[in-house]
Amino acid sequence: MKRIEHINRNLQKRFGGAVRCEERDGCRIVSGTLDTWQQVVAACDLAADKYSKTHVVNDIVCREVKPASPRLPSLRDTALEGDAPDVLVIGGGISGVSIARELTKWKLDVLLVDKEADLALQASGRNDGEVHPGIDLGKGSLKHYYIRRANAMYGRICEELDVPFKRVGQYVCFDKGYLKPLVGLYCLWRKYHDGIEDTKLISGEELKMREPNFSERFRFAISNPSSGCVCPYGLTIAYAENAVQNGARVSLNTAVTAMQVENGKIVSVSTNRGTIYPKLVINAAGVFADDVAAMADDRFFSIHPRRGTNSILDTKAGVLMHSIASIKELSASKTHSKGGGILHTVHDNLLVGPDAVETWEKENTATRKESIETVFDKQTKTMPKLTQRDIITYFTGVRAPTFEEDFIIEPGRRTENIIHCAGIQSPGLTTAPAVALDIEQMAVAFLRKQMPVEKNEKYDPHRKGIPVLRDMSDEERAELIRQNPDYGVIVCRCEEISKGEILDALRSPICVPTVDGVKKRVRPGMGRCQGGFCSPLVTKIIADEFGIPISEVRKSSAESVITYGKI
Amino acid sequence: MQNYDVTIIGGGPAGLAAAISACQNGAKTLLIEREARLGGILKQCIHDGFGLVRFGEKLSGPEYAERFMDEVEKTDCEIRVLTFVTRIKRMNGGFAVTLVSRDGVQTVQSRTLVLATGCRERTAKQVAIHGTRPAGVFTAGTAQHFTNLLGELPAKKCVILGSGDIGLIMARRLTLEGAEVIGVYEAKSTPSGLTRNIHQCLHDYQIPLYLSHTVTRVFGQDRLEKVEISRVDESMTPIPGTEQIIDCDALILSVGLIPENELAETLGVSLSAATKGPICDGQLMSSQEGIFSCGNALHVNDLVDYVSESGELAGKNAALYRGQSRDWVDIHTGKELLYCVPQKLNLQADNSEIVLYFRSRDVLNDCRLTLTVDGKEVFAKKYRFLRPPEMERLTLDFSSYGIRKNSDIRLEIEVKDDD
Amino acid sequence: MTELTCIVCPRGCSLRVDGEGDSITVTGNACKRGEAFAVSEMLHPMRTICTTVRTSFPDAPVLPVRVSAEIPKDRIFDVMREIKKVTLTKPVARGETVIENVLGLSVNVISESDLLLHEKREG
């Protein structure tokens, strides 16, 4: 643990008295004024202890930051006015939905809200989908505590939720042969000290055999067979649907704007759809987790957003490799950032990225040319055949780390009826199933102090996904078409998606009747033409299904108008 | 299992022409179309100008397509619409074609295949446009679908990127429907579309064309709000400091077409890097025996008349194909040529009337096209100008040029020095 | 002298027009149609328009139409307004008239397609 005097000496040295740190209420509060966001991050990093539970709270005024309030949905109604759920989950990302689903094992009224028009619209829908092996995480961190348990759960969870998951294995490749003994020792240390047992070294020849398109220069690699990939938004939606099937409620386009806190207790939560009176609040608000904590009068950590951009390559490039390749620079531990990699996705595309760029903008997911170039410069060293010409799309997500670079999974420190699931960044997708179980227990223990909490006898962990006809045998496909001929009408030719599958998405437990909502659930528009052919068709199907004019169909949000009405 | 001589994939202009000619040449023919109606992209090309070469009149896209549809109805061709090919495998010297439709999954057998799968549009991400992902960014074909098939207005105030023909046509179409077209921006220093379209779609409606400009970023969370436009240098790289922001609610992209050959690739058909279509011989047979290619799947055409012509040729040759052996020899193209089609000659075939299409790489004035065989000039033609957007067509009697197995055939352009 | 691009065919010849009135001379044209185009363009420019009319058929909400012959260029938007007034409730075959003698220009607005013949009507 850094001593406060030591921190202030370093801050003085680096920033000449512009910022200082003080310890208050078990936090390190850094305040002052700085010019750039980069300096703010550097100052807070100086004050932070990695994996510590004494968190840095960033109170620095940054001259370059233009304060922006979160984007809020335009919807205003009273649908939730006076609603009094047992548990209010804030955030429809992987953390929130997995917690909601586990809570439905109990006879509880669970309400999940998200300000976006769909689930998984922020970090949970904008990451690489890797199920991590836990090789690079230090013992003592919550990340490490959860990852082995969570990784082992993935097969079962994905089977229950009927989403594709492939344990394709991950390779960390090295080009300097002389490092082999050292890396070998590191693997052994991981095995006996950290309990990461499947990790082993493989030779350059073995790597060549398994992944012939990797660079010739690799001499050996660390192999992590427990690593896999999943569709991150697919899993998020599946968890949420299962929660809804088991009685939870999901309210989208619902933003938490304020909380009324009295005597260390949240009394009510204001939203654009009315005031809610929950017994317990779960803060799974991603990049806004510190803002939610502040509303709850329980601010003891700060999020410093970190942007990452991934590219998706045509399935034609998917044949180049079948696993996950990670770049691990030996100095990487200093940067906190993921080294990025190349991943063969569950949909047989290649995904390349991400990079890691500090930013104060929590919601700026605009892509930049530089990100793509940086990532490709790096990853073509792993696989020279990788080319930007195969890119079909790219996207940016914003991670939500604390300055301690660890998760915060704990009840409120000053406010009693809140549980924080914050600081969730990589490997947060991997750890979610295990974290959810712990938060479920915390929640039940808390609620039992004021009400009986009984088992939900009707709880069914199984969710049936929408059939994926392209992956079926001809016989299975023919049988489904016989039952519903719409399965035989192909609407999206790139991904071979039928009208029947699109209608299934529109009739699914959490219906999001937008072009993007359909795209996330059954993939029309995810292929190489990026919806060029099918987006008007999907728009028409949505209009017909709901009996609305085409001009009322949206791409995503309420304002994302596609057409302006009849010509 | 049903058995056909010729199976044609794609019911657009190429496939329709192929179906008619295959039937006329006595083949038992199957035409497969994934949409509900035949006609392909012509269904939404409601503007006129089609068919001048073939019919000597200016027809609209639907009129042109429906003439062929009427024709195909008169033949014995079996037509299956709303039917999608999921898989093709070689078997017993032919092909097993697996089809999905409302009737289920069915596999039919065919002696030959004609791939008439058309092309798709390049997307915003493929031309490295960055920024947010709002509604209102359309390829020209998508905007055309909304307007001409669904009767919906996709833009009120738009910027068009790319001066390809569909972009120019959409500039006029949206103007007619009351939308404001701020301008057409083209990264190249010369227009990509036909000169007459620049004239009748842009000049007629006072729509400005900005060459050497491109869109570099888009803005807007929900619907597009503005775009950033930059000047580009000769290598089409944006010049820093030249950015300007333009308010608009739609960006319409006409930045190129890519032949659709994903099915062809699964069958091992070799593709040309220049055309992105199958490498083929004068009979339009690809590198794979029994697989023919035509229309925009073969190479992107600017006139539908030539699409139909290649379809007819492919359909006829597929019908006549009996597994004859082939001897391929290359037609090499000089650096002034973007490409020529066909790229090969089959010495075993009748080469007395080969239709050759080519495009120049740049705008060339007063030049001379030469065809040499083993160093000897066998054909030459003068051109006052050649422009990359305008494909040239020749009919040549290759059988008279004394071509042998190892002959060196070169198609080249001599440009007069104009100092 | 005026320079024009011929729009009669895809060749798009660059035309040069000299003189005026009865003594117009055209050069640069590859065929006779180019000359006729240039003369017409100088005296009374004519254009075709291709557009759509609304229908009451749910799966074919619009039908492509065009004018049966060229109309004066400066009447394009007037004719567009007339076409917008129409909603077809019955199938119309390709070539059939949708608006007769539009605005007294001695030109009909005609259907480009048989599309509606195969469509189911509303209800």
Side-chain angles (χ1 to χ4, degrees), chain B residues 46 60 63 66 70 177 204, chain C residues 47 66 84 112-114:
Chain B
I46 63 163
S60 71
E63 287 169 338
E66 289 178 22
D70 293 347
E177 290 300 342
D204 272 4
Chain C
R47 293 290 184 272
R66 65 176 172 96
K84 277 191 178 299
E112 287 185 7
S113 170
D114 282 339

Side-chain angles (χ1 to χ4, degrees), chain A residues 19-20 118 132 191 246 282 354 365 367 377 491 502 556:
Chain A
V19 280
R20 61 186 307 278
D118 198 352
H132 287 267
K191 182 169 177 176
N246 285 309
I282 291 176
T365 53
T367 56
D377 280 352
V491 173
I502 292 168
S556 177

Side-chain angles (χ1 to χ4, degrees), chain A residues 443-457:
Chain A
V444 170
F446 174 84
L447 290 167
R448 277 199 167 134
K449 286 188 262 171
Q450 51 183 297
M451 63 183 274
V453 179
E454 286 163 33
K455 278 231 140 103
N456 173 9
E457 303 297 343

Side-chain angles (χ1 to χ4, degrees), chain A residues 82-386:
Chain A
D83 204 297
D86 297 321
V87 185
L88 171 68
V89 181
I90 304 173
I94 188 67
S95 298
V97 297
S98 55
I99 293 164
R101 186 253 195 173
E102 299 309 337
L103 285 172
T104 58
K105 286 189 278 196
W106 305 91
K107 279 187 186 155
L108 291 172
D109 180 12
V110 178
L111 173 65
L112 181 145
V113 295
D114 194 289
K115 76 185 184 73
E116 303 292 342
D118 198 352
L119 301 155
L121 270 195
Q122 297 300 332
S124 297
R126 299 168 178 273
N127 66 81
D128 60 10
E130 179 174 357
V131 175
H132 287 267
I135 180 78
D136 52 349
L137 303 167
K139 208 169 182 176
S141 68
L142 282 175
K143 290 179 180 175
H144 177 266
Y145 173 77
Y146 285 110
I147 196 146
R148 294 310 300 164
R149 213 170 110 210
N151 180 300
M153 288 170 72
Y154 251 79
R156 177 176 59 79
I157 288 289
C158 291
E159 203 186 306
E160 284 175 357
L161 297 176
D162 195 14
V163 295
F165 166 60
K166 291 179 193 162
R167 253 185 227 285
V168 290
Q170 179 213 51
Y171 301 104
V172 184
C173 308
F174 294 83
D175 58 355
K176 295 182 178 67
Y178 62 81
L179 287 174
K180 196 170 176 177
L182 198 70
V183 176
L185 278 176
Y186 171 81
C187 290
L188 281 177
W189 189 73
R190 284 297 186 195
K191 182 169 177 176
Y192 292 108
H193 183 260
D194 296 340
I196 293 161
E197 292 189 351
D198 61 335
T199 296
K200 62 174 186 189
L201 278 194
I202 62 166
S203 67
E205 296 83 68
E206 174 84 28
L207 181 69
K208 180 107 201 117
M209 220 171 68
R210 296 190 191 181
E211 290 291 0
N213 289 314
F214 282 10
S215 168
E216 296 283 342
R217 69 195 169 93
F218 293 133
R219 296 287 163 266
F220 66 99
I222 302 175
S223 160
N224 293 304
S226 67
S227 189
C229 61
V230 71
C231 169
Y233 45 86
L235 179 63
T236 305
I237 291 168
Y239 253 124
E241 288 184 356
N242 188 231
V244 168
Q245 285 166 340
N246 285 309
R249 292 177 291 146
V250 170
S251 179
L252 297 169
N253 294 304
T254 307
V256 170
T257 50
M259 291 184 193
Q260 193 193 346
V261 183
E262 278 169 21
N263 307 321
K265 196 165 177 294
I266 299 164
V267 180
S268 70
V269 175
S270 309
T271 75
N272 55 317
R273 311 195 67 183
T275 304
I276 303 169
Y277 301 84
K279 291 194 179 74
L280 171 67
V281 171
I282 291 176
N283 174 12
V287 284
F288 293 108
D290 54 350
D291 301 283
V292 167
M295 285 182 206
D297 215 357
D298 199 33
R299 179 172 177 245
F300 61 90
F301 60 92
S302 283
I303 301 289
H304 62 113
R306 192 186 292 138
R307 203 172 61 219
T309 299
N310 285 299
S311 302
I312 301 279
L313 275 55
D314 196 309
T315 47
K316 281 189 232 172
V319 298
L320 288 175
M321 55 104 81
H322 304 94
S323 59
I324 301 164
S326 258
I327 285 204
K328 208 48 68 188
E329 283 150 6
L330 286 178
S331 61
S333 59
K334 280 265 180 200
T335 66
H336 301 307
S337 66
K338 289 189 56 199
I342 315 169
L343 186 143
H344 183 107
T345 72
V346 281
H347 303 297
D348 290 329
N349 297 96
L350 287 192
L351 179 147
V352 185
D355 61 343
V357 181
E358 295 291 340
T359 173
W360 72 82
E361 295 173 291
K362 292 184 167 180
E363 291 185 283
N364 186 351
T365 53
T367 56
R368 295 159 202 235
K369 197 163 167 248
E370 306 84 77
S371 295
I372 309 280
E373 273 157 15
T374 314
V375 163
F376 268 81
D377 280 352
K378 201 150 127 186
Q379 303 302 344
T380 43
K381 292 193 185 95
T382 301
M383 193 161 72
K385 283 187 181 167
L386 213 54

Side-chain angles (χ1 to χ4, degrees), chain B residues 1 21 27 52 90 136 205 226 252 288 292 313 350 396 408:
Chain B
M1 196 183 289
S21 84
L52 262 168
R90 270 197 187 275
Y205 297 90
K226 48 199 176 184
I252 291 173
Q288 291 288 326
F292 297 79
L313 193 60
D350 173 10
L396 297 175
D408 181 41

